[in-house]
PDB file of all heavy atoms in Angstrom:
ATOM      1  N   ASP A 224      10.461  -2.695 -19.788  1.00 95.00           N
ATOM      2  CA  ASP A 224      11.880  -2.848 -20.113  1.00 95.00           C
ATOM      3  C   ASP A 224      12.431  -1.684 -20.921  1.00 95.00           C
ATOM      4  O   ASP A 224      13.602  -1.684 -21.320  1.00 95.00           O
ATOM      5  CB  ASP A 224      12.125  -4.163 -20.862  1.00 95.00           C
ATOM      6  CG  ASP A 224      11.298  -4.286 -22.136  1.00 95.00           C
ATOM      7  OD1 ASP A 224      10.665  -3.282 -22.543  1.00 95.00           O
ATOM      8  OD2 ASP A 224      11.269  -5.383 -22.726  1.00 95.00           O
ATOM      9  N   ALA A 225      11.581  -0.664 -21.165  1.00 96.00           N
ATOM     10  CA  ALA A 225      12.026   0.530 -21.872  1.00 96.00           C
ATOM     11  C   ALA A 225      11.096   1.681 -21.515  1.00 96.00           C
ATOM     12  O   ALA A 225       9.956   1.460 -21.071  1.00 96.00           O
ATOM     13  CB  ALA A 225      12.031   0.298 -23.384  1.00 96.00           C
ATOM     14  N   VAL A 226      11.579   2.896 -21.703  1.00 97.00           N
ATOM     15  CA  VAL A 226      10.769   4.081 -21.441  1.00 97.00           C
ATOM     16  C   VAL A 226      10.142   4.533 -22.751  1.00 97.00           C
ATOM     17  O   VAL A 226      10.858   4.809 -23.717  1.00 97.00           O
ATOM     18  CB  VAL A 226      11.633   5.215 -20.849  1.00 97.00           C
ATOM     19  CG1 VAL A 226      10.813   6.491 -20.698  1.00 97.00           C
ATOM     20  CG2 VAL A 226      12.202   4.790 -19.498  1.00 97.00           C
ATOM     21  N   PRO A 227       8.823   4.587 -22.822  1.00 97.00           N
ATOM     22  CA  PRO A 227       8.182   5.012 -24.072  1.00 97.00           C
ATOM     23  C   PRO A 227       8.449   6.494 -24.340  1.00 97.00           C
ATOM     24  O   PRO A 227       8.698   7.272 -23.420  1.00 97.00           O
ATOM     25  CB  PRO A 227       6.703   4.762 -23.806  1.00 97.00           C
ATOM     26  CG  PRO A 227       6.569   4.879 -22.329  1.00 97.00           C
ATOM     27  CD  PRO A 227       7.843   4.323 -21.762  1.00 97.00           C
ATOM     28  N   GLU A 228       8.381   6.854 -25.612  1.00 97.00           N
ATOM     29  CA  GLU A 228       8.588   8.256 -25.975  1.00 97.00           C
ATOM     30  C   GLU A 228       7.526   9.146 -25.343  1.00 97.00           C
ATOM     31  O   GLU A 228       7.813  10.273 -24.923  1.00 97.00           O
ATOM     32  CB  GLU A 228       8.555   8.399 -27.495  1.00 97.00           C
ATOM     33  CG  GLU A 228       8.757   9.823 -27.981  1.00 97.00           C
ATOM     34  CD  GLU A 228       8.728   9.926 -29.499  1.00 97.00           C
ATOM     35  OE1 GLU A 228       8.848   8.878 -30.170  1.00 97.00           O
ATOM     36  OE2 GLU A 228       8.575  11.051 -30.006  1.00 97.00           O
ATOM     37  N   SER A 229       6.308   8.623 -25.249  1.00 98.00           N
ATOM     38  CA  SER A 229       5.215   9.394 -24.659  1.00 98.00           C
ATOM     39  C   SER A 229       4.286   8.456 -23.907  1.00 98.00           C
ATOM     40  O   SER A 229       4.175   7.269 -24.231  1.00 98.00           O
ATOM     41  CB  SER A 229       4.437  10.163 -25.734  1.00 98.00           C
ATOM     42  OG  SER A 229       4.008   9.294 -26.771  1.00 98.00           O
ATOM     43  N   LEU A 230       3.642   9.012 -22.888  1.00 98.00           N
ATOM     44  CA  LEU A 230       2.779   8.214 -22.023  1.00 98.00           C
ATOM     45  C   LEU A 230       1.606   9.069 -21.567  1.00 98.00           C
ATOM     46  O   LEU A 230       1.801  10.193 -21.094  1.00 98.00           O
ATOM     47  CB  LEU A 230       3.566   7.731 -20.797  1.00 98.00           C
ATOM     48  CG  LEU A 230       2.786   6.999 -19.684  1.00 98.00           C
ATOM     49  CD1 LEU A 230       2.289   5.638 -20.182  1.00 98.00           C
ATOM     50  CD2 LEU A 230       3.659   6.831 -18.440  1.00 98.00           C
ATOM     51  N   VAL A 231       0.394   8.535 -21.702  1.00 98.00           N
ATOM     52  CA  VAL A 231      -0.773   9.200 -21.133  1.00 98.00           C
ATOM     53  C   VAL A 231      -1.208   8.393 -19.914  1.00 98.00           C
ATOM     54  O   VAL A 231      -1.336   7.171 -19.973  1.00 98.00           O
ATOM     55  CB  VAL A 231      -1.923   9.337 -22.163  1.00 98.00           C
ATOM     56  CG1 VAL A 231      -2.367   7.990 -22.702  1.00 98.00           C
ATOM     57  CG2 VAL A 231      -3.095  10.092 -21.551  1.00 98.00           C
ATOM     58  N   VAL A 232      -1.354   9.084 -18.791  1.00 98.00           N
ATOM     59  CA  VAL A 232      -1.729   8.460 -17.527  1.00 98.00           C
ATOM     60  C   VAL A 232      -3.154   8.873 -17.196  1.00 98.00           C
ATOM     61  O   VAL A 232      -3.457  10.073 -17.128  1.00 98.00           O
ATOM     62  CB  VAL A 232      -0.786   8.890 -16.389  1.00 98.00           C
ATOM     63  CG1 VAL A 232      -1.221   8.257 -15.070  1.00 98.00           C
ATOM     64  CG2 VAL A 232       0.652   8.541 -16.716  1.00 98.00           C
ATOM     65  N   VAL A 233      -4.022   7.904 -16.990  1.00 98.00           N
ATOM     66  CA  VAL A 233      -5.411   8.172 -16.637  1.00 98.00           C
ATOM     67  C   VAL A 233      -5.590   7.852 -15.156  1.00 98.00           C
ATOM     68  O   VAL A 233      -5.487   6.701 -14.748  1.00 98.00           O
ATOM     69  CB  VAL A 233      -6.380   7.332 -17.486  1.00 98.00           C
ATOM     70  CG1 VAL A 233      -7.830   7.677 -17.125  1.00 98.00           C
ATOM     71  CG2 VAL A 233      -6.122   7.556 -18.966  1.00 98.00           C
ATOM     72  N   GLY A 234      -5.831   8.873 -14.350  1.00 97.00           N
ATOM     73  CA  GLY A 234      -6.005   8.686 -12.922  1.00 97.00           C
ATOM     74  C   GLY A 234      -5.069   9.566 -12.129  1.00 97.00           C
ATOM     75  O   GLY A 234      -3.865   9.598 -12.395  1.00 97.00           O
ATOM     76  N   GLY A 235      -5.620  10.279 -11.145  1.00 97.00           N
ATOM     77  CA  GLY A 235      -4.831  11.219 -10.356  1.00 97.00           C
ATOM     78  C   GLY A 235      -4.546  10.751  -8.947  1.00 97.00           C
ATOM     79  O   GLY A 235      -4.252  11.575  -8.067  1.00 97.00           O
ATOM     80  N   GLY A 236      -4.619   9.429  -8.711  1.00 97.00           N
ATOM     81  CA  GLY A 236      -4.303   8.892  -7.393  1.00 97.00           C
ATOM     82  C   GLY A 236      -2.816   8.654  -7.221  1.00 97.00           C
ATOM     83  O   GLY A 236      -1.989   9.165  -7.987  1.00 97.00           O
ATOM     84  N   VAL A 237      -2.478   7.848  -6.231  1.00 97.00           N
ATOM     85  CA  VAL A 237      -1.068   7.629  -5.899  1.00 97.00           C
ATOM     86  C   VAL A 237      -0.302   7.034  -7.075  1.00 97.00           C
ATOM     87  O   VAL A 237       0.771   7.526  -7.441  1.00 97.00           O
ATOM     88  CB  VAL A 237      -0.943   6.724  -4.656  1.00 97.00           C
ATOM     89  CG1 VAL A 237       0.517   6.418  -4.368  1.00 97.00           C
ATOM     90  CG2 VAL A 237      -1.588   7.391  -3.447  1.00 97.00           C
ATOM     91  N   VAL A 238      -0.808   5.966  -7.675  1.00 97.00           N
ATOM     92  CA  VAL A 238      -0.112   5.339  -8.794  1.00 97.00           C
ATOM     93  C   VAL A 238       0.031   6.311  -9.956  1.00 97.00           C
ATOM     94  O   VAL A 238       1.110   6.428 -10.561  1.00 97.00           O
ATOM     95  CB  VAL A 238      -0.848   4.065  -9.251  1.00 97.00           C
ATOM     96  CG1 VAL A 238      -0.236   3.520 -10.534  1.00 97.00           C
ATOM     97  CG2 VAL A 238      -0.807   3.009  -8.160  1.00 97.00           C
ATOM     98  N   GLY A 239      -1.030   7.032 -10.273  1.00 98.00           N
ATOM     99  CA  GLY A 239      -0.996   7.956 -11.393  1.00 98.00           C
ATOM    100  C   GLY A 239       0.050   9.036 -11.236  1.00 98.00           C
ATOM    101  O   GLY A 239       0.852   9.287 -12.142  1.00 98.00           O
ATOM    102  N   VAL A 240       0.077   9.695 -10.080  1.00 98.00           N
ATOM    103  CA  VAL A 240       1.016  10.809  -9.906  1.00 98.00           C
ATOM    104  C   VAL A 240       2.450  10.315  -9.772  1.00 98.00           C
ATOM    105  O   VAL A 240       3.389  10.954 -10.268  1.00 98.00           O
ATOM    106  CB  VAL A 240       0.622  11.707  -8.716  1.00 98.00           C
ATOM    107  CG1 VAL A 240      -0.722  12.372  -8.975  1.00 98.00           C
ATOM    108  CG2 VAL A 240       0.617  10.955  -7.396  1.00 98.00           C
TER     109      VAL A 240
END
Side-chain angles (χ1 to χ4, degrees):
D224 57 9
V226 175
E228 180 180 344
S229 53
L230 173 68
V231 58
V232 178
V233 182
V237 176
V238 172
V240 296

